[in-house]
Amino acid sequence: MNRVVATHNSPRTWFLTSSLTPLAVRLIRQLLTHGDYVVACLPPHEIEHDDRSAEFRELVNECKSNRKDREGWKDRIRTIRCDGRVMGQCSAAVAEAKHVFTRIDILLCCTSEAVVGTVEELSTSPATQNLVRDQFETIFFSQVNFIKASLPTFRAQHTGHIMILTSIGGHIGTPGMPIYTAATWALEGFCDSLAYEVAPFNIKVTIVQPHKEIQSLTNKIVFAPSLAHYDSENNPAPSVRDMLTNVLNLNPETALEPSETEIIQRYPKLPPSSMDRLVGETVYALTAIGGHENPPARHIVGFEGAEAVKEKLKTVTEELEDFVEASVAVDIFESELKNEATQGKAKAEGKPEGTGGPSSVAST
């Protein structure tokens, strides 16, 4: 059977799991300009929020307008109300997308929100404990539902590209955002395993990691009640709570006062020009990689993010070298790999080969 496969430069059909974010709106505008087709899922709890959905409604009006540069847009976008936390709704959305556009080329899992609070702050009451479950429902389970719903379609097509928009939080833990980090790591670990499972069906998986601020400042932020022990005055760890609060306080409509008793939620509102600059690199990366014949397994967006991850990996490598003797000491049998590991450390420390490790002791 001959399969029609969309090339990277030909029109592609994108399926976005969440389309109301400033990043998603700008991405959709780029995709429609390119001639692509877009299935835009709208979380019901967000579409009812006037401020949150304002930019998307403006985009819909553009699609319906008579502007020459928007011709055909309304025929190439399909909006679907869908709660990703409900598997049945995800399956129905995928079926509708396939019915309308006959295929799906790229699934972009881009749903996110940030729960801010230390481990202890998220353990003070049933309400804060529920924030932990909510964070995993939003970042992990909802995206897993969309992936599971799309796999039969991709497998039948014998082609498809699953893209996961996370953050460098998938590499680096952030004090004050432990549950956000845990949910992100869970999703990335899931996708690492998934990539091996679906490779025989010509299904690609790419994790795209912009800086944490990209996702945090374009989605809902939830602040758990603060504990004085973790105030920046008492705790030397960088305070993400203070940093995000400072950004929110730049706009009177989103300004907040820290609370030791209440859970506070905000959707950041940045000036359009600032938002364009904030998400520009990520939008470009998604359009460049989406549907590529040989996409990367991971792509870090931006110089700062790449440098931060490189520094983390350097630290991990140095710690492995520092404790290599403890690692190889548990090996029952001598091996070439064991000798190479101990000799590698000896070279790094400027010692003659064959000294300083368990293998040299055993050979005497």
Side-chain angles (χ1 to χ4, degrees):
M1 183 179 68
N2 293 326
R3 296 185 176 91
V4 179
V5 180
T7 64
H8 185 57
N9 291 321
S10 66
R12 301 156 292 180
T13 300
W14 292 68
F15 187 110
L16 277 63
T17 64
S18 183
S19 302
L20 298 178
T21 73
L23 188 152
V25 169
R26 285 158 177 77
L27 174 62
I28 292 171
R29 193 173 277 115
Q30 289 286 334
L31 299 178
L32 293 175
T33 300
H34 180 264
D36 290 348
Y37 299 84
V38 177
V39 178
C41 286
L42 311 176
H45 62 284
E46 290 194 341
I47 196 67
E48 309 296 342
H49 193 288
D50 290 340
D51 287 342
R52 178 61 163 174
S53 59
E55 276 196 298
F56 186 82
R57 294 181 191 279
E58 183 181 324
L59 173 63
V60 170
N61 290 334
E62 285 183 43
C63 295
K64 296 178 179 178
S65 71
N66 295 322
R67 288 174 52 177
K68 191 69 176 176
D69 59 347
R70 300 296 187 258
E71 187 175 352
W73 279 26
K74 63 182 175 62
D75 299 321
R76 288 188 284 109
I77 184 171
R78 181 75 165 200
T79 60
I80 303 175
R81 293 172 67 101
C82 180
D83 187 341
R85 298 168 296 184
V86 182
M87 183 65 200
Q89 293 189 27
C90 297
S91 298
V94 169
E96 183 175 343
K98 187 178 178 183
H99 174 74
V100 173
F101 295 131
T102 71
R103 63 181 297 110
I104 301 171
D105 296 301
I106 303 154
L107 170 67
L108 176 59
C109 296
C110 52
T111 304
S112 185
E113 70 177 35
V115 171
V116 178
T118 64
V119 172
E120 191 173 358
E121 288 169 340
L122 291 168
S123 308
T124 57
S125 70
T128 58
Q129 292 170 22
N130 285 338
L131 292 179
V132 175
R133 183 179 298 275
D134 293 343
Q135 182 80 109
F136 270 83
E137 287 284 355
T138 299
I139 291 181
F140 179 72
F141 288 109
S142 72
Q143 304 310 280
V144 168
N145 285 344
F146 277 114
I147 292 170
K148 291 192 295 185
S150 67
L151 285 179
T153 296
F154 286 148
R155 186 164 40 77
Q157 295 173 172
H158 201 70
T159 184
H161 191 183
I162 299 171
M163 300 183 73
I164 315 296
L165 183 62
T166 59
S167 76
I168 61 170
H171 279 288
I172 304 169
T174 303
M177 297 178 72
I179 304 306
Y180 171 87
T181 303
T184 300
W185 287 26
L187 182 59
E188 292 199 3
F190 172 88
C191 290
D192 281 344
S193 298
L194 173 71
Y196 291 103
E197 297 174 1
V198 300
F201 308 114
N202 195 34
I203 302 171
K204 315 296 185 182
V205 180
T206 298
I207 297 170
V208 179
Q209 299 173 311
H211 210 278
K212 286 188 286 289
E213 284 82 351
I214 308 298
Q215 290 285 63
S216 299
L217 296 178
T218 57
N219 289 282
K220 181 168 68 174
I221 304 174
V222 182
F223 294 90
S226 59
L227 292 174
H229 313 292
Y230 295 97
D231 287 348
S232 54
E233 297 177 357
N234 302 322
N235 195 311
S239 175
V240 68
R241 181 189 292 270
D242 289 349
M243 290 185 282
L244 293 175
T245 298
N246 290 338
V247 173
L248 293 171
N249 286 347
L250 293 174
N251 188 324
E253 296 181 27
T254 59
L256 57 88
E257 289 290 335
S259 174
E260 296 183 0
T261 57
E262 296 182 1
I263 296 172
I264 302 173
Q265 302 181 3
R266 290 289 189 276
Y267 285 105
K269 292 182 67 175
L270 302 183
S273 59
S274 298
M275 189 61 74
D276 290 342
R277 291 193 298 272
L278 179 68
V279 305
E281 284 184 331
T282 305
V283 169
Y284 175 81
L286 292 171
T287 56
I289 295 171
H292 199 283
E293 292 181 1
N294 188 29
R298 266 183 170 77
H299 178 75
I300 300 169
V301 181
F303 176 78
E304 289 185 6
E307 287 299 304
V309 172
K310 285 167 64 177
E311 190 63 31
K312 170 64 182 292
L313 295 177
K314 178 183 175 183
T315 300
V316 171
T317 302
E318 290 173 349
E319 289 181 347
L320 285 172
E321 292 293 337
D322 289 343
F323 291 92
V324 66
E325 293 178 6
S327 298
V328 301
V330 299
D331 291 346
I332 299 175
F333 302 106
E334 295 294 325
S335 69
E336 291 184 10
L337 288 177
K338 179 176 179 179
N339 292 333
E340 287 178 8
T342 52
Q343 289 171 8
K345 183 182 180 185
K347 287 181 180 179
E349 294 176 347
K351 298 177 181 179
E353 290 187 15
T355 64
S359 57
S360 63
V361 174
S363 63
T364 58

